[in-house]
Amino acid sequence: MAKKDYYDVLGISKSASAAEIKKAYRKKAIEHHPDKNPDDKGAEAKFKEAAEAYEVLSDENKKARYDQYGHQAFENGGGFGGGGMNMDDIFSQFGDIFGGGGFGGGFSGFGGGGGQRRVKGSNLRIRVKLTLEEIANGVEKKIKVKRKVQAPGTTYKTCTTCHGSGQVTRIANTILGRMQTSAPCNVCGGAGQIIDKKPADADAQGLKVSEETVSIKIPAGVVDGMQLKVSGKGNEAPGNGISGDIIVVIEEEQHEKLQREGDNLHYDLYISYSDAVLGTSKEIDTVTGKVRIKVEAGVQSGKILRLRGKGIPSINGYGRGDLLVHVNVWTPKTLNKQQREFFESMQEDEHFMPKPDSSDKSFFEKVKDMFS
Ligand SMILES: [Zn+2]
């Protein structure tokens, strides 16, 4: 099923201000809150949908990417690709939306619908620079990261305040009325465990920084600014908690010869006046190596040669873009005496007069064809 537009989900227009986005989300979150709609899967889905929309539209960068690329901007692990946001992620937004009291606190917030939740280590964010060739072909990168891991020799014991549940129950007055909420235990921070013994070089949570090399598989077709998630490779959590993630932010390096436009590539080919008249063949750069192309005798400047499938593969896995070679005829700025005499003799020659016919389309008609 096609994903619903984030603006439609929140019931706002594309020009909505940050305050309006926040207000709209707050309204939806209250309406579909799982505590108000127990066992209603439809409400839960809507609640998650609204949270996801807010997560994107409240973040200037993500909003800009969404406005430009739509849902595609976040596919293939770029954010919510897999199973969408989980409840913990959503509740951790609430500190921001509803202000302090009642929500938030602890390591990463609110204990959802009962049962012990495991504390999650924090995420690491790294930028990865990729060449156009790497983007076109997909690449595996080995990246050095500094992540927190449990220091050898650290032992944990059950927290005596929450008896290992990680949560304390309390009655809170919230915007939803009087509710019994479970909040993370502030002695153990929700982990259910506290430090028993730790070596001198570990921090207060029994963690220490370790330098590791992480291998990251980057699929073909990624876009500058896209974020990929590598699950479980971020900072470790204390005790029996789960590791955070690495968020990989893609940076695309400018190619010397090729310009990217979505999945298509553009190449400016300059040929001499004589080559245009006589025809030639030229070697050009592509993302999969050099290719020799034929330029017909009598080619017009501005002609676009389309090399099908020589562009960037679609991130969604549907086909590949094309490489569009723009022919530019290079006109010499100076001439020697002999050359000048030749061109002067041709100046009034009928054969050299422009006679464009329907096959010599204007630039705008060519562009129209390209996108039709
Ligand atoms: Zn505790």
Side-chain angles (χ1 to χ4, degrees), residues 1-41:
M1 200 181 80
K3 264 184 107 153
K4 217 168 140 188
D5 178 78
Y6 287 150
Y7 293 97
D8 292 344
V9 168
L10 296 182
I12 51 176
S13 77
K14 286 208 155 69
S15 58
S17 67
E20 285 165 340
I21 293 170
K22 194 166 176 172
K23 198 175 152 203
Y25 173 53
R26 194 183 148 110
K27 207 176 125 204
K28 293 281 174 196
I30 293 171
E31 188 184 335
H32 303 300
H33 196 287
D35 287 345
K36 271 204 149 178
N37 305 275
D39 301 321
D40 179 349
K41 285 285 164 203

Side-chain angles (χ1 to χ4, degrees), residues 314-326:
S314 158
I315 183 82
N316 301 320
Y318 310 118
R320 266 184 103 103
D322 300 330
L323 172 56
L324 301 154
V325 180
H326 300 254

Side-chain angles (χ1 to χ4, degrees), residues 159 161-162 166 185 187-188 192:
C159 171
T161 304
C162 62
C185 165
V187 173
C188 62

